[in-house]
Amino acid sequence: MTATAEAAPTQVIPLQDRPPRRRLTPYWLLLPGLAWLVVFFVVPMVYQASTSLQTGSLEQGFQLTWHFSTYWDALSEYKWHFVRSFGFSAIATLLCLAIGYPLAYTIAFKASKRWRNVILILVIAPFFTSFLIRTLAWKTILSDSGPVVETLNALHLLSLTDAIGLTTGQRLLATPLAVICGLTYNFLPFMILPLYTSLERIDPRLHEAAGDLYARPFTTFRKVTFPISLPGVVAGTLLTFIPASGDYINAQLLGSPSEQMIGNAIQKQFLNVLDYPTAAALSFILMALILGMVTVYMRKAGTEELV
Amino acid sequence: MTEQLREAATAGGDVRLTGIGKTYGAFTAVQPLDLTVPQGSFFALLGASGCGKTTTLRMIAGLEEPTSGTVLIGGQDVTALPPYKRPVNTVFQSYALFPHLDIFENVAFGLRRRGKKDVKKQVEEMLELVELGPYARRKPHQLSGGQQQRVAVARALINHPQVLLLDEPLGALDLKLRRQMQLELKRIQTEVGITFVHVTHDQEEAMTMADTIAVMNGGRVEQLGAPADLYENPGSTFVANFLGQSNLIPAEVTGSADGSLLLSAGGARLAMPKARCATEASSVYLGVRPEKITIAGADSEVAEGRNRITGTVVDSSFIGVSTQYVVRAETGQELAVFEQNMDRDTRLTPGAPVVLHWNPAHSFGLDAAQAIDAGTGEAAA
């Protein structure tokens, strides 16, 4: 008995004395990911950063001249594109939250196990067709003689949206509302899935406990369920807002030139105008603005305590 | 705080269940049962998992809707009331503390929902009562299991419920802590005088804490009574085996004399008090608790008038305060014997012939029509 007790503890080898190969294992495991990031993220970023500071033209070639005023010029020329980008995506994100939260809540708490899987599959089913095809389909849905416009017209709702500037001329297509609808539709799954994961983890007994402690069902939601699901809300809004801000397909297909978002501007500069420095500068401005907003948002939401 | 709780307690916390039952489709979780929990008592619902004890508790809390019957609390019919309108609070099995709130806010939750003023003072007093004052600003996950359990109790008690419901509140704790918390809960209950209804599968826990135990089996209340009463006079083989350990010896009634039944069990002649026999049948089980039996070498003298069975030691295990023997008796069963370690007879090793004897007054009788191993755990599996 005593003999085995003495023999056991001597097996622990301090970290620095372990064979070097074993110490390096974590780094070897990181290598593929790091290599991928360097080749496909860091290198293009540096290349784009340098492009944004070059001057010249396609015919004469571009030279790095540290021309910072490109940034200022781009920002002042396209400030309304930025405003529209963030405005449309913010509204779309709120709509996604309003549509996605009840749905995620139902899947997590109310649906039976079988229905849960069916609904989750339906949520991601749109991904089986291409983004482009789905957005084109919306063009048909919202078309001037389509059933949606006719119904809304019959209900005189289009006059209302006309009045607040979301639509113009009693039509949906080529209006801000159409772009917002497209964004909401396309990014809805990115809202639902994180919401579902965070709601699904909540112990149903917390609801019972709240009820037992005199909270009515709505108070239970306000004081218990929603605060605990906040990490999901934060993740969902980021996953919706960030890609929606940079999107250009929806504005391209469902909007008119006056609904153009910053993605459209960047695309045009890169592919049509061939003004690479301005395009690169716009990309960096977009990135910086999103980073800034996300930082403020995360601070406000106080997620570090919740996750 | 204690005085206020006492006031709430005397407001009347009788829990009266009449014909209350619950079925899920074809499955009956709780057979319609009547139960009265007197105000101020510590009442335990004891049974193996799936016996309907938790469902019964949840019906009192309003978390489960009964299929039949009514629930009365302090004379008020609460059957149709949602949980948030009932004068009861629950301590949940996994505590169900709100992970996003600190201890103070967890405890204050019920008060705030009812718009109470002066929350701070009450919460602080309540945290004092459960000895968690310094932990007010911690989050639940920063506390140990025992501390979380006390938060759960404080969170429920602060609302001055007429009845406190406890659903296996100590199930997640290790043995030592559980013993400590049993005494703690008992202390709090005595101090505040509120009716406690405690659900547990641990018979020792139920006996330590409760004034009255309802032993449940298969959705029915098998027997109800004070712990010592249930232990000494079990009414069924299930209770005999589930509460502690029993030796049950099949026997035939051969006659009776001065308030005693005379029995024959595989050649041995035994006796038991007529008053302690729960059946009129002629085929009975004679029961005797292992600690009531004296074990001695086969050649020992046995006083006249004691029940006496010879046998052979099959196994002996030394567990400190006592030694537990398994003896194969002449009647064919294996009998358990607990002997205090005062003067250990070193000859009592496996294979040794022995004589077991006990005072006939320590025997009880059960109807032999029941399964002999009901409630042993082997029968349940």
Side-chain angles (χ1 to χ4, degrees):
Chain A
M1 194 62 213
T2 44
T4 51
E6 276 166 20
T10 53
Q11 292 305 312
V12 182
I13 302 167
L15 192 64
Q16 63 272 20
D17 296 345
R18 287 187 193 166
R21 210 193 303 168
R22 221 186 295 169
R23 257 188 291 149
L24 286 176
T25 308
Y27 300 102
W28 284 114
L29 291 174
L30 276 179
L31 200 61
L34 278 177
W36 187 273
L37 271 180
V38 167
V39 174
F40 294 106
F41 181 70
V42 178
V43 171
M45 283 285 278
V46 172
Y47 180 76
Q48 287 303 323
S50 107
T51 305
S52 72
L53 298 172
Q54 292 172 357
T55 44
S57 66
L58 201 59
E59 294 79 29
Q60 292 147 9
F62 291 99
Q63 250 96 48
L64 180 60
T65 51
W66 303 99
H67 193 263
F68 282 102
S69 60
T70 309
Y71 278 83
W72 180 245
D73 297 341
L75 186 60
S76 47
E77 190 181 343
Y78 289 105
K79 58 177 176 296
W80 288 110
H81 286 73
F82 280 110
V83 170
R84 276 197 293 273
S85 269
F86 294 132
F88 291 172
S89 342
I91 298 173
T93 305
L94 288 178
L95 280 174
C96 281
L97 188 62
I99 299 167
Y101 203 105
L103 186 63
Y105 187 92
T106 310
I107 307 173
F109 295 121
K110 305 288 179 195
S112 67
K113 204 158 189 103
R114 198 158 55 104
W115 275 108
R116 178 179 299 192
N117 291 334
V118 171
I119 304 174
L120 279 175
I121 288 170
L122 287 178
V123 166
I124 55 167
F127 288 127
F128 292 123
T129 51
S130 103
F131 188 79
L132 203 60
I133 303 281
R134 279 182 278 141
T135 313
L136 277 170
W138 270 80
K139 212 169 168 160
T140 320
I141 296 169
L142 300 181
S143 65
D144 291 348
S145 52
V148 178
V149 171
E150 275 175 22
T151 314
L152 290 178
N153 254 330
L155 296 169
H156 300 290
L157 281 174
L158 281 182
S159 316
L160 188 77
T161 50
D162 271 8
I164 56 171
L166 276 177
T167 55
T168 41
Q170 306 279 318
R171 61 194 299 248
L172 276 175
L173 217 52
T175 65
L177 187 62
V179 179
I180 291 168
C181 284
L183 289 171
T184 306
Y185 165 76
N186 277 311
F187 294 103
L188 188 57
F190 297 104
M191 179 64 88
I192 293 173
L193 294 177
L195 280 176
Y196 167 71
T197 5
S198 77
L199 284 169
E200 185 256 354
R201 282 201 317 232
I202 298 178
D203 182 354
R205 262 171 302 206
L206 292 179
H207 296 161
E208 296 186 344
D212 188 68
L213 294 165
Y214 314 106
R216 285 153 187 283
F218 183 68
T219 316
T220 300
F221 174 75
R222 210 163 47 88
K223 291 288 178 184
V224 178
T225 316
F226 187 73
I228 300 178
S229 72
L230 262 183
V233 174
V234 171
T237 45
L238 290 182
L239 283 177
T240 311
F241 182 78
I242 296 174
S245 308
D247 180 77
Y248 66 95
I249 302 268
N250 284 285
Q252 180 80 45
L253 297 181
L254 304 174
S256 70
S258 50
E259 277 79 48
Q260 299 265 296
M261 292 164 63
I262 194 62
N264 303 91
I266 296 172
Q267 183 232 12
K268 201 175 76 193
Q269 291 298 325
F270 260 123
L271 302 180
N272 301 350
V273 184
L274 306 178
D275 182 354
Y276 298 143
T278 303
L282 284 173
S283 304
F284 272 96
I285 295 169
L286 178 64
M287 201 167 67
L289 288 175
I290 288 178
L291 271 176
M293 281 188 277
V294 167
T295 312
V296 172
Y297 178 61
M298 299 277 272
R299 287 261 168 84
K300 285 263 183 209
T303 41
E304 71 282 349
E305 266 196 71
L306 288 158
V307 185
Chain B
M1 172 94 325
T2 319
E3 290 79 58
Q4 290 159 329
L5 286 169
R6 277 205 164 281
E7 263 167 51
T10 47
D14 264 26
V15 179
R16 190 160 295 147
L17 308 179
T18 45
I20 196 142
K22 177 79 187 176
T23 54
Y24 298 98
F27 173 71
T28 305
V30 178
Q31 312 256 15
L33 59 84
D34 297 313
L35 205 62
T36 301
V37 181
Q39 192 249 299
S41 65
F42 199 129
F43 191 93
L45 287 167
L46 173 67
S49 60
C51 73
K53 56 189 192 302
T54 296
T55 310
T56 307
L57 188 89
R58 290 171 59 86
M59 289 193 287
I60 302 174
L63 299 169
E64 208 82 64
E65 212 176 310
T67 331
S68 66
T70 53
V71 182
L72 273 81
I73 295 170
Q76 187 201 358
D77 186 346
V78 298
T79 320
L81 292 184
Y84 58 85
K85 286 188 178 161
R86 296 194 184 199
V88 300
N89 289 110
T90 311
V91 177
F92 289 84
Q93 186 167 12
S94 53
Y95 318 136
L97 299 180
F98 302 122
H100 60 300
L101 300 177
D102 62 20
I103 301 312
F104 184 96
E105 285 304 324
N106 261 283
V107 175
F109 194 89
L111 294 181
R112 292 206 194 281
R113 296 293 80 73
R114 289 183 300 160
K116 287 273 165 12
K117 301 273 176 292
D118 200 20
V119 169
K120 190 171 171 358
K121 187 159 160 284
Q122 285 195 60
V123 173
E124 278 168 0
E125 280 174 3
M126 187 42 84
L127 286 176
E128 276 321 304
L129 181 72
V130 296
E131 292 158 6
L132 283 174
Y135 297 93
R137 290 300 165 199
R138 301 260 183 106
K139 287 284 177 72
H141 68 89
Q142 294 169 306
L143 265 55
S144 71
Q147 290 168 332
Q148 291 185 19
Q149 205 274 333
R150 298 213 294 271
V151 176
V153 172
R155 184 179 72 170
L157 268 185
I158 196 165
N159 303 298
H160 306 169
Q162 289 178 30
V163 183
L164 184 73
L165 306 171
L166 302 112
D167 182 9
E168 303 245 9
L170 308 177
L173 305 178
D174 62 60
L175 194 66
K176 209 165 182 181
L177 196 52
R178 199 187 306 180
R179 294 270 173 277
Q180 195 185 323
M181 288 307 300
Q182 284 169 7
L183 300 175
E184 185 86 345
L185 276 178
K186 184 72 196 163
R187 171 184 74 82
I188 292 173
Q189 198 267 337
T190 326
E191 218 162 289
V192 300
I194 288 175
T195 315
F196 277 36
V197 180
H198 181 119
V199 157
T200 180
H201 66 270
D202 181 341
Q203 44 98 11
E204 237 173 284
E205 184 173 303
M207 289 202 278
T208 316
M209 301 166 79
D211 313 319
T212 314
I213 299 176
V215 182
M216 291 190 72
N217 183 27
R220 297 182 308 112
V221 173
E222 190 101 7
Q223 198 177 352
L224 184 105
D229 229 32
L230 289 180
Y231 186 79
E232 298 299 347
N233 295 307
S236 65
T237 54
F238 179 85
V239 177
N241 291 322
F242 196 77
L243 271 185
Q245 206 177 334
S246 290
N247 294 304
L248 297 176
I249 307 164
E252 292 296 322
V253 178
T254 55
S256 66
D258 351 306
S260 286
L261 286 176
L262 303 177
L263 309 157
S264 147
R269 315 214 64 78
L270 305 168
M272 71 171 147
K274 202 168 191 168
R276 295 193 63 193
C277 187
T279 174
E280 302 285 315
S282 64
S283 284
V284 297
Y285 294 128
L286 180 144
V288 59
R289 297 290 186 179
E291 73 280 7
K292 305 260 165 48
I293 302 177
T294 310
I295 187 169
D299 51 353
S300 316
E301 281 289 309
V302 175
E304 196 56 36
R306 286 176 74 82
N307 281 336
R308 181 178 185 285
I309 286 183
T310 55
T312 318
V313 176
V314 178
D315 187 32
S316 84
S317 37
F318 176 79
I319 56 160
V321 289
S322 65
T323 303
Q324 305 193 352
Y325 298 94
V326 177
V327 175
R328 178 160 295 281
E330 57 180 321
T331 52
Q333 294 87 46
E334 287 194 339
L335 302 181
V337 179
F338 299 165
E339 192 78 353
Q340 282 219 337
N341 286 327
M342 291 197 289
D343 308 296
R344 278 185 79 219
D345 189 338
T346 49
R347 294 173 305 150
L348 301 180
T349 50
V354 289
V355 56
L356 308 178
H357 56 94
W358 68 93
N359 185 345
H362 288 153
S363 319
F364 54 87
L366 298 170
D367 191 337
Q370 313 166 65
I372 194 166
D373 57 354
T376 51
E378 282 137 48

